[in-house]
Amino acid sequence: MLVIYHSGANTVIWLGESNPGEADSERGIQFVEDIISIRILKFLLESPTAIHDWLAFAELLTRDWFSRRWIIQEVAASRLATIRFGGIEVKWCDFVEAIEIFFRSYEDIQKLCMEDQEVYASWILLGGSLRQAPAKALVETTVNVFRHWEGTELQSRWPLERLVLKLNSFLVTDPRDTIYAVLGLANDNVLGLGEHPLGADDKMMVGDYRKKPLEVYIDFFRYAVLKSRSLDILVRRWASPVTSCPQMGVEEITLPSWIGVVDASRIEKSFIGEPGRSPYKACSDTVAQCPFDSRDLHDGILTAGGVILGAVEETSGLIVSLDDVWKFGSFYKVKNPIDDKKKVPGYLWRTLVGDRTCDGENSPRWYQRACLYWLTHASEELELVAAYKKRVKEVVVDRKLFTYETAAESKPRGIGPIDMKPGDLVCILFGCSVPVILGEYDPISKTYAFIGECYVHAMMEGEHFWGLDQESIAKQTSAFKIR
């Protein structure tokens, strides 16, 4: 398919007829030429006369066509593409440029829409669906996934794992297409367009619709781990739910807890970062220990080596707002949160921001002073304090604070998933960049459920393994079976 699309003179993207009730969508595609005109863009971002045009374009980006996973290779591989809606036609490259400008100017457009109460009400209804619009991910992917050289040669730039994660909001009818629809776009699964696959010594994925969805997901999980020697795929959400689809021979099943299912009802955020770019290294230099030849794997049970840090002792309620942080006394009221030297303890100000900036950089020292000012001058709002609180909100909202038991006298603290509860295990799995929570132990099958990733203060840089030789690590190692 990739070769076909790249060989074509022009790929026509058909969005359908312009129905009487869809005049705004037609208005939106007509607006593309205005958006890409640098000469008038400033006027469009300031003029109330352009409000309805911006809204029409925004609504166009939420159309179902943009969320279909199979369309990605159509536009990514095409040398020339045209998008048509009703009787209107625009170049795909112009449409891409308009989308890029739209999201670059998003705040200005939203501010402009606020000037019209009716338009702003419609804008609000689009809400998060616009920020997470598949059209945005589609453009980012198609612009970056290939280098287009002269002639017919293409060079893919992204590995399979990154493609699957980046496109997790795209829809598929057949869950196997979660993986198979992007196989041909991956740079680590083929050498190049039309060339022979990798050598026999390398692990590859090949589309095979005789396999059941769970088998395909297990294949991808294994592929990601073997390619990266990392277990970070464990904490990512990438899999489509497996619902009943009789025409394709697919039966509804509940997937194992270690396969991260995309859940549109949850805000997706993670401590882990992008593949190969995690801001943490809790596992130090260890590599994933997963016996993929185990029979258990075919039954949906993953075995992973790792160490136990302790058992969850107490958790807060779900953090919905910053005020909820201070309701969990065990987290910060071991003593007065502010000591005699007027300094906030490191475990407090660092943990609340995951000891990182929003860009994954180490926390700046001024975070400590900002936290102190927040605690002592609650009624005042300075710029640095607001910036610190914004970062705290990014990290803690929709999670829980927790403490866990260890042999040490101090009480370690962390931030974990909403489903965690007292008694769950806090672990570091070999090859996984962040600690994880395992729970719901079944004494009969001797298996755990994977609850989610977590942040643990003073354990995110491999501190647990510092000073330990291989023999000492081996004595602590457990083989966790995760169902």
Side-chain angles (χ1 to χ4, degrees), residues 175-235:
R176 292 167 290 198
D177 288 336
T178 301
I179 312 300
Y180 290 165
V182 295
L183 276 182
L185 303 178
N187 68 0
D188 58 347
N189 203 53
V190 292
L191 288 176
L193 185 64
E195 297 184 15
H196 293 293
L198 296 171
D201 293 334
D202 294 295
K203 300 296 181 181
M204 280 195 63
M205 282 204 68
V206 179
D208 183 354
Y209 285 94
R210 293 171 300 179
K211 292 186 175 182
K212 295 180 179 180
L214 178 58
E215 292 179 281
V216 176
Y217 286 171
I218 291 174
D219 285 347
F220 171 70
F221 190 98
R222 180 195 294 112
Y223 180 93
V225 172
L226 294 178
K227 283 286 183 179
S228 65
R229 303 185 72 195
S230 160
L231 199 56
D232 287 353
I233 188 66
L234 175 71
V235 305

Side-chain angles (χ1 to χ4, degrees), residues 332-349:
Y332 69 93
K333 284 185 178 177
V334 177
K335 294 181 179 179
N336 191 313
I338 306 172
D339 65 22
D340 295 336
K341 296 180 180 179
K342 298 298 181 184
K343 290 184 178 180
V344 179
Y347 74 78
L348 180 56
W349 70 267

Side-chain angles (χ1 to χ4, degrees), residues 54-108:
W54 283 117
L55 180 63
F57 184 74
E59 291 175 337
L60 181 65
L61 301 186
T62 63
R63 292 180 67 86
D64 289 343
W65 182 86
F66 294 102
S67 64
R68 291 165 43 206
R69 192 170 298 227
W70 274 106
I71 67 170
I72 298 162
Q73 63 174 310
E74 298 177 17
V75 293
S78 298
R79 288 181 292 172
L80 179 66
T82 303
I83 186 167
R84 297 187 64 182
F85 181 71
I88 304 171
E89 180 177 296
V90 299
K91 295 178 180 178
W92 174 254
C93 59
D94 290 343
F95 190 71
V96 166
E97 189 176 342
I99 293 175
E100 291 175 328
I101 292 172
F102 175 84
F103 284 105
R104 180 180 177 83
S105 309
Y106 185 89
E107 301 299 335
D108 292 330

Side-chain angles (χ1 to χ4, degrees), residues 387-422:
Y388 177 77
K389 291 172 66 176
K390 180 182 179 181
R391 176 56 183 159
V392 173
K393 187 175 181 180
E394 291 172 348
V395 172
V396 304
V397 169
D398 291 324
R399 289 189 169 112
K400 288 182 178 180
L401 306 175
F402 70 91
T403 62
Y404 67 94
E405 300 173 339
T406 66
E409 185 177 342
S410 61
K411 185 178 292 185
R413 298 162 179 81
I415 302 173
I418 61 177
D419 298 324
M420 68 184 301
K421 61 183 183 299

